[in-house]
């Protein structure tokens, strides 16, 4: 039973180039949650799923869900997914690769005429990056039944609440609670994703099995000082929150550098009132702090807060913290990791495992079912950057391994349940059973 892989790898690459055109910043790839470009991308992915013979629906949190029903009675469902939202000025493979490679895989299952003992669901999540709203993983958390309804009041930089943005997008926020999947009916989750780091390239490997996903905490730091005239306030009398923030940001870097396994990033900084000849009154900067182990991350956060408070005290500044988001470190499922390793070996790859420093929807889905991730090498480990790059050969290899994994996978006993005839949300095509 051979699959015609050259077509699959090449088609995924071509479709990723097409998807890159769905952007809110012409010339760059910027596709934020519930934006016009997110709507365009959903429509495009719906088309790809329909071409693959899936029953396609859009749900009330902005996900696209395609289903291939199993002909087996009471079959559970296996989910293949990733995200189609992006950071600003993004690369074209982060997230999109996982969605489009899953669609190719399911189409190949149908073309091979294979009847699986489980249904397949392909999901294109709409909010993995958490760039627009101070929340993230909204789509995968809704499916996992862990959506935080308080985030509906979270606002974007234009003061639009998530609730309003969902309504404007055509979603019914009352429907979000109904999206939670029954854990007894979901037999597993697999996400393929670019590594976004240099390890596989250094190992001269195309693919790797993810062992765990680092936990992360995101918060804003507000520093208040005394606004003043840039020309008249003597240096010794200033309470300058921007100079103070500069010292604090170096402290963020220093604490991370001194703590093994911890990474910390200040990605956003705003000073107000923001005039060249005014000593700022207030500064707000973001912190994204991660570590493979939760206790290490929590200790680093406490150390960091103490350092920032000491700097504020020394400079006569006031300091406050606003929590934005937190996700615990997530181990992948041993059984699925083993099976993924066997698929890699069957396809002639050296089996190599590595942790993920980047966050993924699999973190949310791990609350619902066993999860696994397959990493794909990316050039120079570059990501969240338009220079992000993969090869068609590696794309083919990933699809080949995932297909082999799915063809050999058997649900653990007890994971049964009536497969729903349609994906939740507004169906856009008729259902298509397994070939
Ligand atoms: O930030 C992350 O780790 C992911 O790319 N959202
Ligand atoms: Mn991603
Ligand atoms: Mn990303």
């Amino acid at each position: 039973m051979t699959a015609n892989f050259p077509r699959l790898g090449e088609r995924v690459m071509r479709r990723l180039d097409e998807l890159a055109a769905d952007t809110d910043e012409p010339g760059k790839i910027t596709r934020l949650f519930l934006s016009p470009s997110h709507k365009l991308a959903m429509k495009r992915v719906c088309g790809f799923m329909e071409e693959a013979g899936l029953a396609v629906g859009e749900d009330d949190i902005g996900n696209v869900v395609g289903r291939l029903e199993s002909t087996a009675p009471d079959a559970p469902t296996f989910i293949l997914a990733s995200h189609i939202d992006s950071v600003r000025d993004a690369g074209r493979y982060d997230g999109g690769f996982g969605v489009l490679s899953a669609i190719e895989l399911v189409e190949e299952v149908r073309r091979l005429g294979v009847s699986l003992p489980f249904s397949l669901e392909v999901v294109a999540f709409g909010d993995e990056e958490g760039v627009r709203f101070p929340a993230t993983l909204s789509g995968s958390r809704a499916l996992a039944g862990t959506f935080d309804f308080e985030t509906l009041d979270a606002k974007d930089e234009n003061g639009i609440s998530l609730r309003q943005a969902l309504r404007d997008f055509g979603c019914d926020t009352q429907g979000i609670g109904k999206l939670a999947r029954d854990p007894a009916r979901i037999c597993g989750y697999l996400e393929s994703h670019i590594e976004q780091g240099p390890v596989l390239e250094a190992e001269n490997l195309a693919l790797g099995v993810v062992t765990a996903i680092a936990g992360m905490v995101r918060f804003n730091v507000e520093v208040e000082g005394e606004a003043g005239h840039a020309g008249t306030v003597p240096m010794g009398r200033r309470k300058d929150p921007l100079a103070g923030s500069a010292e604090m940001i170096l402290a963020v870097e220093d604490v991370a550098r001194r703590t093994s396994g911890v990474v910390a990033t200040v990605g956003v900084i705003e000073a107000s009132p923001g005039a060249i000849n005014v000593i700022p009154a207030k500064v707000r900067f973001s912190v994204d702090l991660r570590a493979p182990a939760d206790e290490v991350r929590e200790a680093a956060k406490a150390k960091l807060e103490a350092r920032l408070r000491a700097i504020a005290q020394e400079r006569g500044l006031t300091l406050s913290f606003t929590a934005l988001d937190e996700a615990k470190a997530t181990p992948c499922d041993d059984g699925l990791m083993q099976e993924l390793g066997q698929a890699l070996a069957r396809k002639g790859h050296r089996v190599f495992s590595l942790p993920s420093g980047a966050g993924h929807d699999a973190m949310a889905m791990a609350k619902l079912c066993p999860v696994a991730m397959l990493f794909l090498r990316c050039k120079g480990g570059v990501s969240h950057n338009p220079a992000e790059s993969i090869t068609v050969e590696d794309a083919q290899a990933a699809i080949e391994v995932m297909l082999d994994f799915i063809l050999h996978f058997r649900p653990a006993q007890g994971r049964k349940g009536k497969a729903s005839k349609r994906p939740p949300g507004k169906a856009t095509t008729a259902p298509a059973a397994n070939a």
Side-chain angles (χ1 to χ4, degrees):
M1 192 176 3
T2 55
N4 174 11
F5 290 108
R7 174 174 53 79
L8 302 184
E10 284 153 12
R11 189 161 67 165
V12 163
M13 299 297 273
R14 197 172 56 249
R15 285 178 162 180
L16 284 164
D17 292 342
E18 291 168 29
L19 189 61
D22 298 335
T23 177
D24 293 321
E25 281 191 270
K28 295 179 179 175
I29 301 174
T30 298
R31 187 180 314 125
L32 303 190
F33 184 32
L34 305 176
S35 63
S37 61
H38 177 197
K39 181 68 86 178
L40 290 173
M42 286 177 75
K43 192 166 177 309
R44 191 182 301 274
V45 167
C46 278
F48 294 154
M49 287 184 177
E50 284 160 9
E51 241 183 276
L54 299 176
V56 188
E58 297 179 1
D59 71 18
D60 280 321
I61 193 71
N63 297 324
V64 182
V65 182
R67 264 186 82 81
L68 185 65
E69 288 304 331
S70 166
T71 48
D74 288 350
T77 296
F78 192 98
I79 298 177
L80 300 159
S82 197
H83 61 94
I84 54 174
D85 65 317
S86 80
V87 293
R88 298 183 197 284
D89 197 6
R92 65 188 59 203
Y93 303 105
D94 175 3
F97 177 78
V99 173
L100 300 191
S101 58
I103 294 171
E104 291 299 337
L105 182 164
V106 177
E107 182 160 350
E108 199 60 14
V109 165
R110 289 191 70 244
R111 197 188 67 80
L112 293 170
V114 173
S115 287
L116 295 170
F118 47 89
S119 297
L120 283 171
E121 236 177 46
V122 178
V123 185
F125 292 119
D127 175 36
E128 188 277 336
E129 298 291 359
V131 170
R132 179 175 175 187
F133 297 97
T136 180
L137 306 179
S138 309
S140 39
R141 281 175 168 154
L143 263 60
T146 59
F147 180 78
D148 175 1
F149 286 84
E150 283 180 17
T151 58
L152 288 171
D153 297 318
K155 291 191 171 47
D156 69 8
E157 60 192 9
N158 301 315
I160 299 171
S161 70
L162 173 55
R163 177 182 283 102
Q164 190 54 50
L166 283 164
R167 284 190 185 140
D168 297 347
F169 204 70
C171 295
D172 169 9
T173 52
Q174 303 297 321
I176 296 174
K178 298 180 202 127
L179 300 179
R181 296 294 197 273
D182 174 356
R185 298 160 86 177
I186 305 295
C187 53
Y189 173 91
L190 173 62
E191 179 170 358
S192 64
H193 200 288
I194 56 170
E195 179 201 337
Q196 299 178 297
V199 174
L200 289 176
E201 189 176 59
E203 289 285 336
N204 194 22
L205 284 171
L207 305 171
V209 178
V210 176
T211 53
I213 303 166
M216 64 95 181
V217 61
R218 292 178 179 175
F219 54 95
N220 276 336
V221 181
E222 287 89 18
V223 188
E224 289 203 53
E226 233 166 66
H229 192 299
T232 57
V233 181
M235 293 310 288
R237 295 169 62 87
R238 294 186 178 203
K239 291 183 180 170
D240 181 342
L242 192 43
S245 296
E247 189 178 348
M248 290 177 192
I249 292 167
L250 287 176
V252 169
E253 186 186 51
D254 184 51
V255 167
R257 280 208 167 130
R258 291 169 188 272
T259 318
S260 155
V262 169
V263 288
T265 311
V266 175
V268 180
I269 184 166
E270 294 147 336
S272 56
I276 189 166
N277 58 350
V278 176
I279 304 164
K282 187 174 175 181
V283 170
R284 183 175 67 176
F285 62 86
S286 65
V287 177
D288 172 315
L289 190 150
R290 309 185 191 204
D294 291 332
E295 58 280 4
V296 170
R297 172 169 51 82
E298 284 149 10
K301 182 168 181 280
K303 199 186 293 179
L304 178 56
E305 285 181 358
R307 286 279 296 271
L308 301 192
R309 288 191 200 288
I311 294 167
Q313 174 120 37
E314 168 72 19
R315 288 172 167 263
L317 301 168
T318 54
L319 191 65
S320 62
F321 298 94
T322 308
L324 295 177
D325 201 17
E326 186 156 9
K328 288 196 173 309
T330 304
C332 292
D333 179 75
D334 288 338
L336 293 188
M337 280 198 285
Q338 213 169 26
E339 294 201 40
L340 197 48
Q342 287 158 7
L344 278 161
R346 279 193 294 267
K347 291 297 172 186
H349 297 273
R350 172 162 66 93
V351 183
F352 180 82
S353 304
L354 68 167
S356 171
H360 300 285
D361 287 297
M363 299 169 97
M365 295 303 281
K367 303 282 190 309
L368 175 70
C369 64
V371 302
M373 285 193 76
L374 178 68
F375 263 178
L376 182 70
R377 165 174 49 192
C378 58
K379 192 158 173 262
V382 168
S383 181
H384 283 189
N385 178 318
E388 209 174 75
S389 166
I390 64 171
T391 66
V392 63
E393 294 76 13
D394 287 359
Q396 282 176 310
I399 299 169
E400 187 174 353
V401 165
M402 289 199 299
L403 179 62
D404 184 275
F405 168 91
I406 286 291
L407 295 177
H408 287 81
F409 177 74
R410 290 298 171 266
Q413 287 317 314
R415 284 206 185 264
K416 293 274 182 209
K418 272 197 187 21
S420 54
K421 278 294 168 220
R422 273 195 182 286
K426 297 170 233 1
T428 53
T429 50
N434 256 350

